[in-house]
Amino acid sequence: MTVRVQAAPFAYGAECEAFAAAAQGAGAVVTFCGLVRDNDGTLHGMEIEHYPGMTERALAKIEAEARSRWALSDALIVHRHGPLAPGEMIMMVATASRHRADAFAAAEFLMDYLKSRAPFWKKERTEEGTAWVAARDEDEDALRRW
Amino acid sequence: MKLTVLYFAWLRERIGLPRETVETDAVTVADLIAELSAREERYALAFADLKAVRVALDQDLSDFDAALDGVREIAFFPPMTGG
């Protein structure tokens, strides 16, 4: 079980390979990666602010909650902060379990929770200037299904 | 008591600083917000719409009614937008 918060890019392919190789006894690995959407070319860049200390703590709690709900043999969360360009990878999750249903459900759960329960804030830069991304009601609603 | 108060995202920008140490007798989070808002206009503006503000006590999400007794670090920030 690993949580990493970093400014540096990560190698998605290598992370997935290493995660799968280490998933002893698992029959399924699910991976997901989030990218900076370019919003049809209007986004010039993004800055992600976070709360050092609480971020790691919140992600570890979310991961522990996922482990208590599904039979996971391993889980990984990597989330970046700092300046990001359109198309760059922001974050990834990986889950491993005996059967795929647990790994899929846990990966979706991790995504839903880290969108609105981990202290990250996105600021977008466009031609008009910079603006903080507003939280969406749908993201809050998504938590109710769990 | 002495509290470390942290601000993030647009709250940090509106108030104009990322952190400060506050000497206060506030009993709850709401009391502290009232105290800060009375201090200067920029705080009053930042805390004008509490529906858009979240709070964490010692790095755990909390709410405005929570007691500050024993708390060392309090953070104010907008709803989170990770992922």
Side-chain angles (χ1 to χ4, degrees), chain A residues 49-51 53-54 57 61 79 114-116 118 120-123 132-133 135, chain B residues 6 8-10 12-13 56 59-61 73 75 77-83:
Chain A
E49 181 169 330
H50 79 120
Y51 181 175
M54 180 174 167
R57 201 179 151 95
K61 267 169 73 175
H79 204 302
L114 69 82
K115 271 193 115 57
S116 42
F120 290 101
W121 302 277
K122 294 190 182 111
K123 191 181 203 179
W132 292 100
V133 174
Chain B
L6 307 179
F8 291 96
W10 59 256
R12 170 178 56 72
E13 292 177 341
Q59 305 190 351
D60 276 321
L61 278 176
E73 183 174 294
F77 42 78
M80 295 156 272
T81 52

PDB file of all heavy atoms in Angstrom, chain A residues 49-51 53-54 57 61 79 114-116 118 120-123 132-133 135, chain B residues 6 8-10 12-13 56 59-61 73 75 77-83:
ATOM      1  N   GLU A  49      -2.271  23.226  -5.983  1.00  0.00           N
ATOM      2  CA  GLU A  49      -1.800  23.533  -4.629  1.00  0.00           C
ATOM      3  C   GLU A  49      -2.251  22.383  -3.720  1.00  0.00           C
ATOM      4  O   GLU A  49      -3.276  21.758  -3.974  1.00  0.00           O
ATOM      5  CB  GLU A  49      -2.444  24.855  -4.186  1.00  0.00           C
ATOM      6  CG  GLU A  49      -2.021  25.320  -2.809  1.00  0.00           C
ATOM      7  CD  GLU A  49      -2.482  26.768  -2.537  1.00  0.00           C
ATOM      8  OE1 GLU A  49      -2.584  27.552  -3.500  1.00  0.00           O
ATOM      9  OE2 GLU A  49      -2.739  27.091  -1.377  1.00  0.00           O
ATOM     10  N   HIS A  50      -1.502  22.111  -2.682  1.00  0.00           N
ATOM     11  CA  HIS A  50      -1.954  21.095  -1.731  1.00  0.00           C
ATOM     12  C   HIS A  50      -1.533  21.474  -0.323  1.00  0.00           C
ATOM     13  O   HIS A  50      -0.883  22.500  -0.126  1.00  0.00           O
ATOM     14  CB  HIS A  50      -1.462  19.699  -2.135  1.00  0.00           C
ATOM     15  CG  HIS A  50      -0.030  19.412  -1.778  1.00  0.00           C
ATOM     16  ND1 HIS A  50       0.336  18.389  -0.944  1.00  0.00           N
ATOM     17  CD2 HIS A  50       1.114  20.028  -2.130  1.00  0.00           C
ATOM     18  CE1 HIS A  50       1.658  18.382  -0.816  1.00  0.00           C
ATOM     19  NE2 HIS A  50       2.152  19.356  -1.523  1.00  0.00           N
ATOM     20  N   TYR A  51      -1.936  20.655   0.622  1.00  0.00           N
ATOM     21  CA  TYR A  51      -1.687  20.915   2.039  1.00  0.00           C
ATOM     22  C   TYR A  51      -0.728  19.830   2.530  1.00  0.00           C
ATOM     23  O   TYR A  51      -1.168  18.759   2.938  1.00  0.00           O
ATOM     24  CB  TYR A  51      -3.038  20.852   2.756  1.00  0.00           C
ATOM     25  CG  TYR A  51      -3.074  21.099   4.255  1.00  0.00           C
ATOM     26  CD1 TYR A  51      -4.309  21.144   4.897  1.00  0.00           C
ATOM     27  CD2 TYR A  51      -1.932  21.288   5.031  1.00  0.00           C
ATOM     28  CE1 TYR A  51      -4.411  21.363   6.265  1.00  0.00           C
ATOM     29  CE2 TYR A  51      -2.025  21.501   6.395  1.00  0.00           C
ATOM     30  CZ  TYR A  51      -3.264  21.537   7.010  1.00  0.00           C
ATOM     31  OH  TYR A  51      -3.359  21.741   8.364  1.00  0.00           O
ATOM     32  N   GLY A  53       1.365  17.287   4.393  1.00  0.00           N
ATOM     33  CA  GLY A  53       1.046  16.684   5.690  1.00  0.00           C
ATOM     34  C   GLY A  53      -0.368  16.151   5.682  1.00  0.00           C
ATOM     35  O   GLY A  53      -0.592  14.947   5.748  1.00  0.00           O
ATOM     36  N   MET A  54      -1.332  17.048   5.531  1.00  0.00           N
ATOM     37  CA  MET A  54      -2.725  16.583   5.503  1.00  0.00           C
ATOM     38  C   MET A  54      -3.001  15.782   4.236  1.00  0.00           C
ATOM     39  O   MET A  54      -3.776  14.816   4.268  1.00  0.00           O
ATOM     40  CB  MET A  54      -3.712  17.746   5.582  1.00  0.00           C
ATOM     41  CG  MET A  54      -5.156  17.239   5.539  1.00  0.00           C
ATOM     42  SD  MET A  54      -6.403  18.501   5.804  1.00  0.00           S
ATOM     43  CE  MET A  54      -7.879  17.593   5.296  1.00  0.00           C
ATOM     44  N   ARG A  57      -1.913  12.276   4.726  1.00  0.00           N
ATOM     45  CA  ARG A  57      -2.772  11.706   5.756  1.00  0.00           C
ATOM     46  C   ARG A  57      -4.158  11.362   5.186  1.00  0.00           C
ATOM     47  O   ARG A  57      -4.701  10.286   5.440  1.00  0.00           O
ATOM     48  CB  ARG A  57      -2.916  12.783   6.832  1.00  0.00           C
ATOM     49  CG  ARG A  57      -3.310  12.356   8.180  1.00  0.00           C
ATOM     50  CD  ARG A  57      -3.331  13.649   9.023  1.00  0.00           C
ATOM     51  NE  ARG A  57      -4.295  13.532  10.081  1.00  0.00           N
ATOM     52  CZ  ARG A  57      -3.960  13.145  11.298  1.00  0.00           C
ATOM     53  NH1 ARG A  57      -2.709  12.853  11.590  1.00  0.00           N
ATOM     54  NH2 ARG A  57      -4.889  13.049  12.222  1.00  0.00           N
ATOM     55  N   LYS A  61      -5.835   7.631   4.587  1.00  0.00           N
ATOM     56  CA  LYS A  61      -7.130   7.280   5.179  1.00  0.00           C
ATOM     57  C   LYS A  61      -8.086   6.723   4.120  1.00  0.00           C
ATOM     58  O   LYS A  61      -8.805   5.761   4.359  1.00  0.00           O
ATOM     59  CB  LYS A  61      -7.771   8.522   5.821  1.00  0.00           C
ATOM     60  CG  LYS A  61      -7.436   8.648   7.295  1.00  0.00           C
ATOM     61  CD  LYS A  61      -7.824   9.983   7.852  1.00  0.00           C
ATOM     62  CE  LYS A  61      -9.321  10.181   8.025  1.00  0.00           C
ATOM     63  NZ  LYS A  61      -9.585  11.482   8.698  1.00  0.00           N
ATOM     64  N   HIS A  79      -0.101  11.264  -6.691  1.00  0.00           N
ATOM     65  CA  HIS A  79      -0.769  12.520  -7.061  1.00  0.00           C
ATOM     66  C   HIS A  79       0.273  13.617  -7.132  1.00  0.00           C
ATOM     67  O   HIS A  79       1.067  13.776  -6.219  1.00  0.00           O
ATOM     68  CB  HIS A  79      -1.846  12.873  -6.039  1.00  0.00           C
ATOM     69  CG  HIS A  79      -2.921  13.770  -6.589  1.00  0.00           C
ATOM     70  ND1 HIS A  79      -2.656  15.006  -7.139  1.00  0.00           N
ATOM     71  CD2 HIS A  79      -4.260  13.599  -6.681  1.00  0.00           C
ATOM     72  CE1 HIS A  79      -3.807  15.559  -7.543  1.00  0.00           C
ATOM     73  NE2 HIS A  79      -4.794  14.725  -7.281  1.00  0.00           N
ATOM     74  N   LEU A 114     -10.715  10.842  -3.652  1.00  0.00           N
ATOM     75  CA  LEU A 114      -9.586  11.779  -3.677  1.00  0.00           C
ATOM     76  C   LEU A 114      -9.915  13.042  -4.453  1.00  0.00           C
ATOM     77  O   LEU A 114      -9.250  14.063  -4.305  1.00  0.00           O
ATOM     78  CB  LEU A 114      -8.283  11.111  -4.091  1.00  0.00           C
ATOM     79  CG  LEU A 114      -8.034  10.608  -5.478  1.00  0.00           C
ATOM     80  CD1 LEU A 114      -7.597  11.763  -6.348  1.00  0.00           C
ATOM     81  CD2 LEU A 114      -6.926   9.567  -5.411  1.00  0.00           C
ATOM     82  N   LYS A 115     -11.019  13.022  -5.221  1.00  0.00           N
ATOM     83  CA  LYS A 115     -11.466  14.247  -5.898  1.00  0.00           C
ATOM     84  C   LYS A 115     -11.987  15.283  -4.912  1.00  0.00           C
ATOM     85  O   LYS A 115     -11.795  16.471  -5.108  1.00  0.00           O
ATOM     86  CB  LYS A 115     -12.586  13.923  -6.900  1.00  0.00           C
ATOM     87  CG  LYS A 115     -12.062  13.571  -8.277  1.00  0.00           C
ATOM     88  CD  LYS A 115     -13.161  13.576  -9.304  1.00  0.00           C
ATOM     89  CE  LYS A 115     -12.976  14.643 -10.355  1.00  0.00           C
ATOM     90  NZ  LYS A 115     -11.732  14.594 -11.087  1.00  0.00           N
ATOM     91  N   SER A 116     -12.674  14.827  -3.865  1.00  0.00           N
ATOM     92  CA  SER A 116     -13.263  15.833  -2.970  1.00  0.00           C
ATOM     93  C   SER A 116     -12.932  15.678  -1.498  1.00  0.00           C
ATOM     94  O   SER A 116     -13.443  16.430  -0.671  1.00  0.00           O
ATOM     95  CB  SER A 116     -14.783  15.892  -3.166  1.00  0.00           C
ATOM     96  OG  SER A 116     -15.316  14.619  -3.295  1.00  0.00           O
ATOM     97  N   ALA A 118      -9.391  14.883  -0.551  1.00  0.00           N
ATOM     98  CA  ALA A 118      -7.949  15.077  -0.376  1.00  0.00           C
ATOM     99  C   ALA A 118      -7.651  16.546  -0.695  1.00  0.00           C
ATOM    100  O   ALA A 118      -8.163  17.087  -1.675  1.00  0.00           O
ATOM    101  CB  ALA A 118      -7.172  14.150  -1.300  1.00  0.00           C
ATOM    102  N   PHE A 120      -6.375  19.039  -2.337  1.00  0.00           N
ATOM    103  CA  PHE A 120      -5.732  19.563  -3.548  1.00  0.00           C
ATOM    104  C   PHE A 120      -6.655  20.627  -4.119  1.00  0.00           C
ATOM    105  O   PHE A 120      -7.895  20.482  -4.055  1.00  0.00           O
ATOM    106  CB  PHE A 120      -5.584  18.469  -4.610  1.00  0.00           C
ATOM    107  CG  PHE A 120      -4.584  17.407  -4.286  1.00  0.00           C
ATOM    108  CD1 PHE A 120      -5.010  16.169  -3.803  1.00  0.00           C
ATOM    109  CD2 PHE A 120      -3.222  17.617  -4.477  1.00  0.00           C
ATOM    110  CE1 PHE A 120      -4.091  15.166  -3.514  1.00  0.00           C
ATOM    111  CE2 PHE A 120      -2.304  16.624  -4.196  1.00  0.00           C
ATOM    112  CZ  PHE A 120      -2.732  15.395  -3.703  1.00  0.00           C
ATOM    113  N   TRP A 121      -6.069  21.671  -4.706  1.00  0.00           N
ATOM    114  CA  TRP A 121      -6.860  22.725  -5.362  1.00  0.00           C
ATOM    115  C   TRP A 121      -6.225  23.049  -6.693  1.00  0.00           C
ATOM    116  O   TRP A 121      -5.022  23.346  -6.765  1.00  0.00           O
ATOM    117  CB  TRP A 121      -6.936  23.974  -4.479  1.00  0.00           C
ATOM    118  CG  TRP A 121      -7.539  23.662  -3.153  1.00  0.00           C
ATOM    119  CD1 TRP A 121      -8.872  23.577  -2.865  1.00  0.00           C
ATOM    120  CD2 TRP A 121      -6.844  23.328  -1.951  1.00  0.00           C
ATOM    121  NE1 TRP A 121      -9.034  23.221  -1.548  1.00  0.00           N
ATOM    122  CE2 TRP A 121      -7.805  23.065  -0.964  1.00  0.00           C
ATOM    123  CE3 TRP A 121      -5.488  23.225  -1.611  1.00  0.00           C
ATOM    124  CZ2 TRP A 121      -7.466  22.703   0.326  1.00  0.00           C
ATOM    125  CZ3 TRP A 121      -5.145  22.864  -0.325  1.00  0.00           C
ATOM    126  CH2 TRP A 121      -6.130  22.612   0.634  1.00  0.00           C
ATOM    127  N   LYS A 122      -7.061  23.022  -7.739  1.00  0.00           N
ATOM    128  CA  LYS A 122      -6.547  23.286  -9.085  1.00  0.00           C
ATOM    129  C   LYS A 122      -6.815  24.734  -9.488  1.00  0.00           C
ATOM    130  O   LYS A 122      -7.913  25.248  -9.297  1.00  0.00           O
ATOM    131  CB  LYS A 122      -7.265  22.382 -10.100  1.00  0.00           C
ATOM    132  CG  LYS A 122      -6.986  20.910  -9.940  1.00  0.00           C
ATOM    133  CD  LYS A 122      -7.551  20.147 -11.131  1.00  0.00           C
ATOM    134  CE  LYS A 122      -7.336  18.658 -10.984  1.00  0.00           C
ATOM    135  NZ  LYS A 122      -8.600  17.934 -10.754  1.00  0.00           N
ATOM    136  N   LYS A 123      -5.799  25.335 -10.077  1.00  0.00           N
ATOM    137  CA  LYS A 123      -5.962  26.685 -10.623  1.00  0.00           C
ATOM    138  C   LYS A 123      -5.613  26.616 -12.108  1.00  0.00           C
ATOM    139  O   LYS A 123      -4.520  26.167 -12.468  1.00  0.00           O
ATOM    140  CB  LYS A 123      -5.008  27.636  -9.894  1.00  0.00           C
ATOM    141  CG  LYS A 123      -5.278  29.098 -10.196  1.00  0.00           C
ATOM    142  CD  LYS A 123      -4.287  29.968  -9.471  1.00  0.00           C
ATOM    143  CE  LYS A 123      -4.835  31.358  -9.282  1.00  0.00           C
ATOM    144  NZ  LYS A 123      -3.902  32.207  -8.559  1.00  0.00           N
ATOM    145  N   TRP A 132      -9.463  29.665 -10.028  1.00  0.00           N
ATOM    146  CA  TRP A 132      -9.535  28.422  -9.257  1.00  0.00           C
ATOM    147  C   TRP A 132     -10.681  27.576  -9.791  1.00  0.00           C
ATOM    148  O   TRP A 132     -11.762  28.096 -10.071  1.00  0.00           O
ATOM    149  CB  TRP A 132      -9.762  28.716  -7.770  1.00  0.00           C
ATOM    150  CG  TRP A 132      -8.571  29.366  -7.147  1.00  0.00           C
ATOM    151  CD1 TRP A 132      -8.399  30.694  -6.896  1.00  0.00           C
ATOM    152  CD2 TRP A 132      -7.366  28.718  -6.734  1.00  0.00           C
ATOM    153  NE1 TRP A 132      -7.151  30.910  -6.351  1.00  0.00           N
ATOM    154  CE2 TRP A 132      -6.503  29.716  -6.243  1.00  0.00           C
ATOM    155  CE3 TRP A 132      -6.931  27.391  -6.738  1.00  0.00           C
ATOM    156  CZ2 TRP A 132      -5.216  29.416  -5.755  1.00  0.00           C
ATOM    157  CZ3 TRP A 132      -5.662  27.099  -6.247  1.00  0.00           C
ATOM    158  CH2 TRP A 132      -4.823  28.098  -5.763  1.00  0.00           C
ATOM    159  N   VAL A 133     -10.448  26.294  -9.927  1.00  0.00           N
ATOM    160  CA  VAL A 133     -11.490  25.379 -10.391  1.00  0.00           C
ATOM    161  C   VAL A 133     -12.490  25.187  -9.260  1.00  0.00           C
ATOM    162  O   VAL A 133     -12.105  24.915  -8.125  1.00  0.00           O
ATOM    163  CB  VAL A 133     -10.873  24.024 -10.799  1.00  0.00           C
ATOM    164  CG1 VAL A 133     -11.951  23.014 -11.150  1.00  0.00           C
ATOM    165  CG2 VAL A 133      -9.907  24.215 -11.971  1.00  0.00           C
ATOM    166  N   ALA A 135     -15.399  23.281  -7.153  1.00  0.00           N
ATOM    167  CA  ALA A 135     -15.796  21.888  -6.930  1.00  0.00           C
ATOM    168  C   ALA A 135     -17.162  21.680  -7.572  1.00  0.00           C
ATOM    169  O   ALA A 135     -17.995  22.581  -7.577  1.00  0.00           O
ATOM    170  CB  ALA A 135     -15.860  21.609  -5.433  1.00  0.00           C
TER     171      ALA A 135
ATOM    172  N   LEU B   6      -3.697  28.167   8.895  1.00  0.00           N
ATOM    173  CA  LEU B   6      -3.241  28.051   7.508  1.00  0.00           C
ATOM    174  C   LEU B   6      -4.383  28.391   6.557  1.00  0.00           C
ATOM    175  O   LEU B   6      -5.542  28.089   6.846  1.00  0.00           O
ATOM    176  CB  LEU B   6      -2.776  26.623   7.206  1.00  0.00           C
ATOM    177  CG  LEU B   6      -1.746  25.979   8.126  1.00  0.00           C
ATOM    178  CD1 LEU B   6      -1.448  24.554   7.663  1.00  0.00           C
ATOM    179  CD2 LEU B   6      -0.469  26.776   8.121  1.00  0.00           C
ATOM    180  N   PHE B   8      -5.473  28.209   2.292  1.00  0.00           N
ATOM    181  CA  PHE B   8      -5.096  27.649   0.990  1.00  0.00           C
ATOM    182  C   PHE B   8      -5.980  28.203  -0.133  1.00  0.00           C
ATOM    183  O   PHE B   8      -7.105  28.657   0.111  1.00  0.00           O
ATOM    184  CB  PHE B   8      -5.209  26.121   1.009  1.00  0.00           C
ATOM    185  CG  PHE B   8      -4.178  25.468   1.881  1.00  0.00           C
ATOM    186  CD1 PHE B   8      -4.483  25.118   3.192  1.00  0.00           C
ATOM    187  CD2 PHE B   8      -2.889  25.224   1.416  1.00  0.00           C
ATOM    188  CE1 PHE B   8      -3.528  24.537   4.016  1.00  0.00           C
ATOM    189  CE2 PHE B   8      -1.929  24.644   2.225  1.00  0.00           C
ATOM    190  CZ  PHE B   8      -2.250  24.298   3.530  1.00  0.00           C
ATOM    191  N   ALA B   9      -5.433  28.099  -1.333  1.00  0.00           N
ATOM    192  CA  ALA B   9      -6.131  28.466  -2.579  1.00  0.00           C
ATOM    193  C   ALA B   9      -6.657  29.902  -2.503  1.00  0.00           C
ATOM    194  O   ALA B   9      -5.929  30.794  -2.069  1.00  0.00           O
ATOM    195  CB  ALA B   9      -7.221  27.446  -2.898  1.00  0.00           C
ATOM    196  N   TRP B  10      -7.946  30.160  -2.881  1.00  0.00           N
ATOM    197  CA  TRP B  10      -8.381  31.562  -2.933  1.00  0.00           C
ATOM    198  C   TRP B  10      -8.501  32.198  -1.552  1.00  0.00           C
ATOM    199  O   TRP B  10      -8.432  33.411  -1.410  1.00  0.00           O
ATOM    200  CB  TRP B  10      -9.642  31.757  -3.773  1.00  0.00           C
ATOM    201  CG  TRP B  10     -10.874  31.005  -3.349  1.00  0.00           C
ATOM    202  CD1 TRP B  10     -11.382  29.888  -3.953  1.00  0.00           C
ATOM    203  CD2 TRP B  10     -11.764  31.333  -2.274  1.00  0.00           C
ATOM    204  NE1 TRP B  10     -12.520  29.485  -3.312  1.00  0.00           N
ATOM    205  CE2 TRP B  10     -12.776  30.346  -2.277  1.00  0.00           C
ATOM    206  CE3 TRP B  10     -11.799  32.329  -1.309  1.00  0.00           C
ATOM    207  CZ2 TRP B  10     -13.821  30.338  -1.347  1.00  0.00           C
ATOM    208  CZ3 TRP B  10     -12.841  32.321  -0.377  1.00  0.00           C
ATOM    209  CH2 TRP B  10     -13.820  31.332  -0.405  1.00  0.00           C
ATOM    210  N   ARG B  12      -6.220  31.862   0.757  1.00  0.00           N
ATOM    211  CA  ARG B  12      -4.843  32.353   0.951  1.00  0.00           C
ATOM    212  C   ARG B  12      -4.646  33.662   0.169  1.00  0.00           C
ATOM    213  O   ARG B  12      -4.084  34.633   0.695  1.00  0.00           O
ATOM    214  CB  ARG B  12      -3.843  31.286   0.465  1.00  0.00           C
ATOM    215  CG  ARG B  12      -2.409  31.753   0.390  1.00  0.00           C
ATOM    216  CD  ARG B  12      -1.475  30.626  -0.046  1.00  0.00           C
ATOM    217  NE  ARG B  12      -1.866  30.020  -1.321  1.00  0.00           N
ATOM    218  CZ  ARG B  12      -1.742  30.605  -2.515  1.00  0.00           C
ATOM    219  NH1 ARG B  12      -1.213  31.808  -2.599  1.00  0.00           N
ATOM    220  NH2 ARG B  12      -2.136  29.992  -3.606  1.00  0.00           N
ATOM    221  N   GLU B  13      -5.149  33.675  -1.070  1.00  0.00           N
ATOM    222  CA  GLU B  13      -4.985  34.882  -1.897  1.00  0.00           C
ATOM    223  C   GLU B  13      -5.776  36.061  -1.337  1.00  0.00           C
ATOM    224  O   GLU B  13      -5.302  37.186  -1.322  1.00  0.00           O
ATOM    225  CB  GLU B  13      -5.425  34.586  -3.333  1.00  0.00           C
ATOM    226  CG  GLU B  13      -4.500  33.612  -4.039  1.00  0.00           C
ATOM    227  CD  GLU B  13      -4.955  33.262  -5.435  1.00  0.00           C
ATOM    228  OE1 GLU B  13      -6.149  33.461  -5.768  1.00  0.00           O
ATOM    229  OE2 GLU B  13      -4.125  32.759  -6.207  1.00  0.00           O
ATOM    230  N   ALA B  56     -10.065  22.229   8.510  1.00  0.00           N
ATOM    231  CA  ALA B  56      -9.408  21.030   9.040  1.00  0.00           C
ATOM    232  C   ALA B  56      -8.750  21.392  10.364  1.00  0.00           C
ATOM    233  O   ALA B  56      -8.150  22.459  10.497  1.00  0.00           O
ATOM    234  CB  ALA B  56      -8.360  20.517   8.062  1.00  0.00           C
ATOM    235  N   GLN B  59      -5.128  18.705  10.730  1.00  0.00           N
ATOM    236  CA  GLN B  59      -5.054  17.961   9.471  1.00  0.00           C
ATOM    237  C   GLN B  59      -6.158  16.914   9.284  1.00  0.00           C
ATOM    238  O   GLN B  59      -6.014  15.995   8.478  1.00  0.00           O
ATOM    239  CB  GLN B  59      -3.665  17.341   9.288  1.00  0.00           C
ATOM    240  CG  GLN B  59      -2.560  18.399   9.394  1.00  0.00           C
ATOM    241  CD  GLN B  59      -1.197  17.891   8.977  1.00  0.00           C
ATOM    242  OE1 GLN B  59      -1.016  16.700   8.751  1.00  0.00           O
ATOM    243  NE2 GLN B  59      -0.245  18.796   8.865  1.00  0.00           N
ATOM    244  N   ASP B  60      -7.254  17.051  10.028  1.00  0.00           N
ATOM    245  CA  ASP B  60      -8.426  16.212   9.787  1.00  0.00           C
ATOM    246  C   ASP B  60      -9.601  17.123   9.480  1.00  0.00           C
ATOM    247  O   ASP B  60      -9.822  18.115  10.185  1.00  0.00           O
ATOM    248  CB  ASP B  60      -8.773  15.367  11.021  1.00  0.00           C
ATOM    249  CG  ASP B  60      -7.969  14.091  11.082  1.00  0.00           C
ATOM    250  OD1 ASP B  60      -7.757  13.477  10.011  1.00  0.00           O
ATOM    251  OD2 ASP B  60      -7.535  13.713  12.184  1.00  0.00           O
ATOM    252  N   LEU B  61     -10.412  16.772   8.465  1.00  0.00           N
ATOM    253  CA  LEU B  61     -11.577  17.583   8.126  1.00  0.00           C
ATOM    254  C   LEU B  61     -12.498  17.694   9.326  1.00  0.00           C
ATOM    255  O   LEU B  61     -12.701  16.723  10.054  1.00  0.00           O
ATOM    256  CB  LEU B  61     -12.353  16.937   6.970  1.00  0.00           C
ATOM    257  CG  LEU B  61     -11.822  17.204   5.560  1.00  0.00           C
ATOM    258  CD1 LEU B  61     -12.640  16.428   4.548  1.00  0.00           C
ATOM    259  CD2 LEU B  61     -11.841  18.697   5.252  1.00  0.00           C
ATOM    260  N   GLU B  73      -3.216  23.202  15.078  1.00  0.00           N
ATOM    261  CA  GLU B  73      -3.181  23.708  13.697  1.00  0.00           C
ATOM    262  C   GLU B  73      -4.583  23.694  13.103  1.00  0.00           C
ATOM    263  O   GLU B  73      -5.282  22.683  13.160  1.00  0.00           O
ATOM    264  CB  GLU B  73      -2.257  22.807  12.871  1.00  0.00           C
ATOM    265  CG  GLU B  73      -2.062  23.242  11.431  1.00  0.00           C
ATOM    266  CD  GLU B  73      -1.013  22.376  10.724  1.00  0.00           C
ATOM    267  OE1 GLU B  73       0.175  22.436  11.119  1.00  0.00           O
ATOM    268  OE2 GLU B  73      -1.380  21.630   9.797  1.00  0.00           O
ATOM    269  N   ALA B  75      -6.778  24.825   9.541  1.00  0.00           N
ATOM    270  CA  ALA B  75      -6.615  25.246   8.148  1.00  0.00           C
ATOM    271  C   ALA B  75      -7.968  25.566   7.537  1.00  0.00           C
ATOM    272  O   ALA B  75      -8.948  24.851   7.777  1.00  0.00           O
ATOM    273  CB  ALA B  75      -5.926  24.147   7.350  1.00  0.00           C
ATOM    274  N   PHE B  77      -9.894  26.375   3.790  1.00  0.00           N
ATOM    275  CA  PHE B  77      -9.680  26.235   2.339  1.00  0.00           C
ATOM    276  C   PHE B  77     -11.019  26.011   1.630  1.00  0.00           C
ATOM    277  O   PHE B  77     -12.010  25.677   2.280  1.00  0.00           O
ATOM    278  CB  PHE B  77      -8.725  25.085   2.047  1.00  0.00           C
ATOM    279  CG  PHE B  77      -8.939  23.826   2.858  1.00  0.00           C
ATOM    280  CD1 PHE B  77      -9.953  22.935   2.547  1.00  0.00           C
ATOM    281  CD2 PHE B  77      -8.116  23.539   3.943  1.00  0.00           C
ATOM    282  CE1 PHE B  77     -10.153  21.777   3.294  1.00  0.00           C
ATOM    283  CE2 PHE B  77      -8.308  22.379   4.702  1.00  0.00           C
ATOM    284  CZ  PHE B  77      -9.314  21.492   4.365  1.00  0.00           C
ATOM    285  N   PRO B  78     -11.042  26.196   0.311  1.00  0.00           N
ATOM    286  CA  PRO B  78     -12.278  25.938  -0.434  1.00  0.00           C
ATOM    287  C   PRO B  78     -12.495  24.428  -0.614  1.00  0.00           C
ATOM    288  O   PRO B  78     -11.578  23.646  -0.334  1.00  0.00           O
ATOM    289  CB  PRO B  78     -12.031  26.610  -1.789  1.00  0.00           C
ATOM    290  CG  PRO B  78     -10.572  26.819  -1.894  1.00  0.00           C
ATOM    291  CD  PRO B  78      -9.978  26.756  -0.526  1.00  0.00           C
ATOM    292  N   PRO B  79     -13.678  24.019  -1.085  1.00  0.00           N
ATOM    293  CA  PRO B  79     -13.904  22.604  -1.383  1.00  0.00           C
ATOM    294  C   PRO B  79     -12.772  22.078  -2.286  1.00  0.00           C
ATOM    295  O   PRO B  79     -12.310  22.785  -3.167  1.00  0.00           O
ATOM    296  CB  PRO B  79     -15.240  22.611  -2.115  1.00  0.00           C
ATOM    297  CG  PRO B  79     -15.953  23.803  -1.567  1.00  0.00           C
ATOM    298  CD  PRO B  79     -14.868  24.836  -1.356  1.00  0.00           C
ATOM    299  N   MET B  80     -12.365  20.849  -2.021  1.00  0.00           N
ATOM    300  CA  MET B  80     -11.178  20.314  -2.683  1.00  0.00           C
ATOM    301  C   MET B  80     -11.468  19.881  -4.117  1.00  0.00           C
ATOM    302  O   MET B  80     -12.561  19.441  -4.438  1.00  0.00           O
ATOM    303  CB  MET B  80     -10.656  19.151  -1.842  1.00  0.00           C
ATOM    304  CG  MET B  80     -10.187  19.654  -0.475  1.00  0.00           C
ATOM    305  SD  MET B  80     -10.204  18.397   0.813  1.00  0.00           S
ATOM    306  CE  MET B  80     -11.869  18.564   1.388  1.00  0.00           C
ATOM    307  N   THR B  81     -10.452  20.028  -4.957  1.00  0.00           N
ATOM    308  CA  THR B  81     -10.604  19.680  -6.376  1.00  0.00           C
ATOM    309  C   THR B  81      -9.424  18.846  -6.853  1.00  0.00           C
ATOM    310  O   THR B  81      -8.682  19.241  -7.751  1.00  0.00           O
ATOM    311  CB  THR B  81     -10.747  20.952  -7.241  1.00  0.00           C
ATOM    312  OG1 THR B  81      -9.657  21.851  -6.930  1.00  0.00           O
ATOM    313  CG2 THR B  81     -12.047  21.679  -6.972  1.00  0.00           C
ATOM    314  N   GLY B  82      -9.247  17.698  -6.221  1.00  0.00           N
ATOM    315  CA  GLY B  82      -8.141  16.818  -6.615  1.00  0.00           C
ATOM    316  C   GLY B  82      -8.551  15.894  -7.745  1.00  0.00           C
ATOM    317  O   GLY B  82      -9.586  16.053  -8.372  1.00  0.00           O
ATOM    318  N   GLY B  83      -7.715  14.896  -8.001  1.00  0.00           N
ATOM    319  CA  GLY B  83      -8.002  13.871  -9.010  1.00  0.00           C
ATOM    320  C   GLY B  83      -7.668  14.307 -10.418  1.00  0.00           C
ATOM    321  O   GLY B  83      -7.202  15.403 -10.645  1.00  0.00           O
TER     322      GLY B  83
END
